[in-house]
Amino acid sequence: MLFEYSGRGINGLTQQPIFFMFIFGIYFSFFAMLEDLMVRHKLTNFQVFLIAVSWGTLVEAFVTGNLYDPDASFGITLVGVNIVNFIIISVFAWGIVQSNITLYLANRLQPRDWDHPKMGTLGWIVCILYQIGIVLVAMQSPVTPKSQLAGYIALLIFEAAMLTILVYSLKNPREDKPKFSPVPLMDFLAFGSVVIFLILGTFFVDWKAVVTQHSLNRTAIVLEVIWTIIAGVTFIIYRMVSRKEIAV
């Protein structure tokens, strides 16, 4: 949620409070489902990444339209998909900062209770219906970028591939409950993200950028993207070098 605040700013929060409530609902329902999957399957960093990238790409495609925006981020597209937006938003923002790093932060502040009640069928239905409702509303907006058929086919293939990899990876579930232990580098990335996003959203306020239909703070967005890439690359390098699972 702080990721959204950093770009939209305190001006967006005060001028569009209802809009922020809907955004909060998107994140709340996503993390409710993710946490339930975490407790049920004891997800690894890679599995969290797969889920977050898949879900984030759907949001990027059907809610914000950034996935199909031909003008943003240097306008580099492939079959109608903005490749730069996909890498920055889906991979780095959703796949790492807003999932693995965020879950680590939550665990750091309050260690997970692996025995807490699981979310039932009704909870899943409510969360999914909320997300579908947001999509239906967003798709009605004439300024939300839409794709040609090729873009939607590419999205379908991508989502199918991610789901296949996820299902295959879950065939050998972890039996032990991961024990959380602080990692100094992750502390830096997690708490650093909080501080940076709060500063950007509070003090870098100009609303000089318009991305699809959204008014954003240009300087804050640039700095937010830079930090997101730094945090994402750092996380990936650490995992590759250490070859250790980070308890999130």
Side-chain angles (χ1 to χ4, degrees), residues 45-65:
N45 298 146
F46 181 61
Q47 290 166 339
V48 170
F49 175 83
L50 290 174
I51 294 170
V53 170
S54 299
W55 196 268
T57 301
L58 291 175
V59 172
E60 194 182 353
F62 298 115
V63 177
T64 65

Side-chain angles (χ1 to χ4, degrees), residues 4-238:
E4 297 291 338
Y5 172 76
S6 66
R8 303 178 190 279
I10 193 170
N11 48 342
L13 177 61
T14 56
Q15 296 181 33
Q16 299 175 319
I18 296 179
F19 179 72
F20 264 80
M21 290 176 60
F22 283 115
I23 293 178
F24 174 80
I26 292 175
Y27 281 93
F28 182 85
S29 54
F30 166 72
F31 278 108
M33 292 184 287
L34 182 59
E35 175 63 19
D36 192 59
L37 291 173
M38 176 68 73
V39 172
R40 290 176 186 272
H41 302 287
K42 303 177 182 64
L43 301 177
T44 64
N45 298 146
F46 181 61
Q47 290 166 339
V48 170
F49 175 83
L50 290 174
I51 294 170
V53 170
S54 299
W55 196 268
T57 301
L58 291 175
V59 172
E60 194 182 353
F62 298 115
V63 177
T64 65
N66 289 329
L67 189 68
Y68 300 124
D69 189 344
D71 301 318
S73 305
F74 309 108
I76 302 175
T77 61
L78 179 64
V79 293
V81 174
N82 189 307
I83 301 301
V84 177
N85 273 0
F86 170 76
I87 294 173
I88 294 174
I89 301 174
S90 293
V91 176
F92 287 131
W94 277 98
I96 299 175
V97 175
Q98 296 191 109
S99 54
N100 275 292
I101 292 179
T102 299
L103 289 177
Y104 173 88
L105 176 62
N107 243 331
R108 187 72 166 89
L109 297 175
Q110 177 62 51
R112 175 180 289 105
D113 176 10
W114 289 97
D115 298 315
H116 72 67
K118 298 178 178 63
M119 187 165 65
T121 302
L122 179 60
W124 273 90
I125 291 175
V126 170
C127 289
I128 292 175
L129 286 180
Y130 179 86
Q131 297 274 350
I132 292 175
I134 293 295
V135 168
L136 293 177
V137 172
M139 291 297 288
Q140 298 303 312
S141 173
V143 295
T144 299
K146 310 296 191 302
S147 175
Q148 300 296 323
L149 180 60
Y152 292 120
I153 292 176
L155 176 65
L156 179 62
I157 294 173
F158 172 77
E159 293 293 337
M162 296 292 277
L163 180 61
T164 300
I165 296 172
L166 176 63
V167 171
Y168 180 79
S169 71
L170 290 173
K171 287 186 175 181
N172 297 309
R174 300 164 69 180
E175 298 298 333
D176 61 315
K177 298 175 182 177
K179 183 179 180 181
F180 180 81
S181 58
V183 178
L185 180 60
M186 288 298 296
D187 284 346
F188 171 73
L189 295 179
F191 290 104
S193 295
V194 171
V195 172
I196 289 174
F197 291 158
L198 281 174
I199 290 175
L200 292 179
T202 305
F203 299 106
F204 290 77
V205 178
D206 53 42
W207 266 22
K208 292 182 178 179
V210 176
V211 180
T212 62
Q213 73 269 39
H214 304 283
S215 296
L216 303 173
N217 300 314
R218 180 182 300 167
T219 304
I221 285 294
V222 172
L223 296 176
E224 176 190 62
V225 167
I226 292 173
W227 171 255
T228 298
I229 294 174
I230 291 174
V233 171
T234 302
F235 179 87
I236 292 172
I237 292 176
Y238 176 79

